[in-house]
Amino acid sequence: MEWLAMERWSPYAVGIGIGILSWLAFLLSDKPIGCSTAFTRTSGMIEKIFRGSKVHDKPYYKQFAPTIDWEWMVVIGIILGAFLSSILSGQFSLKWIPAIWHAEAGSHIPTRWGVSLLGGIIMGFGARWAGGCTSGHGISGTLQLAVSSWLAAICFFVGGILTAMFIYKVLL
């Protein structure tokens, strides 16, 4: 069980694990792994607090009901798994600003949070626009050899590289 306490795992072992997990997801639920829809369902659940059952009248929420489903539980599992991994590896720490951001942009917390929030919003829109997130397209879709998923995954990487270059070469 020493491998659970490793600081870094082999990308090959992780890839094999994700492949097995994807296979099990298809076998047991006949659904691919993905999690971006969980965030839109959550926004519907929050809206439901303020608007009540009127939320169910929206066409989007007719297709994606604002309820807790298996994708929502995947997000909870990702959060708990990351936390448990950081504890087991001895790497857990609370940081308001990562070291690389501090070195490049300083220690102004509101700026870091604002950039993170803006990036998360843009990624959320992009995931919904693309019909899935990096896990939905990049793992499940490419595993099924879906051309649209391969194209989306390539665009995710290109967009990420260009955005990082823009942030670290132009903005900072």
Side-chain angles (χ1 to χ4, degrees):
M1 297 296 276
E2 290 179 21
W3 57 274
L4 285 174
M6 291 174 29
E7 186 175 328
R8 289 183 175 38
W9 288 20
S10 161
Y12 303 109
V14 172
I16 291 168
I18 290 171
I20 292 170
L21 180 64
S22 295
W23 178 76
L24 287 172
F26 278 116
L27 179 71
L28 299 175
S29 69
D30 198 31
K31 295 180 189 238
I33 293 175
C35 62
S36 63
T37 305
F39 294 99
T40 58
R41 290 182 196 276
T42 302
S43 69
M45 287 186 265
I46 293 169
E47 186 177 344
K48 191 174 181 180
I49 293 169
F50 299 102
R51 295 191 65 228
S53 62
K54 292 180 183 178
V55 169
H56 297 288
D57 295 336
K58 290 185 172 184
Y60 187 83
Y61 292 127
K62 286 182 180 179
Q63 183 179 1
F64 301 104
T67 59
I68 294 174
D69 66 343
W70 73 276
E71 286 181 338
W72 208 86
M73 297 310 290
V74 167
V75 173
I76 298 298
I78 290 168
I79 293 167
L80 291 176
F83 176 73
L84 184 61
S85 177
S86 70
I87 294 292
L88 291 173
S89 67
Q91 298 300 308
F92 178 79
S93 66
L94 295 174
K95 294 181 185 178
W96 290 100
I97 299 189
I100 191 168
W101 181 270
H102 179 64
E104 296 291 330
S107 61
H108 193 246
I109 293 172
T111 301
R112 170 63 176 158
W113 280 52
V115 169
S116 298
L117 180 63
L118 179 63
I121 290 169
I122 291 169
M123 285 179 58
F125 276 111
R128 298 316 312 145
W129 193 19
C133 58
T134 51
S135 57
H137 280 300
I139 296 171
S140 300
T142 57
L143 182 75
Q144 297 174 74
L145 301 177
V147 174
S148 60
S149 290
W150 278 96
L151 181 60
I154 290 167
C155 289
F156 293 151
F157 277 97
V158 170
I161 291 166
L162 293 176
T163 301
M165 289 173 63
F166 177 73
I167 289 172
Y168 286 102
K169 302 289 185 192
V170 177
L171 295 181
L172 302 178

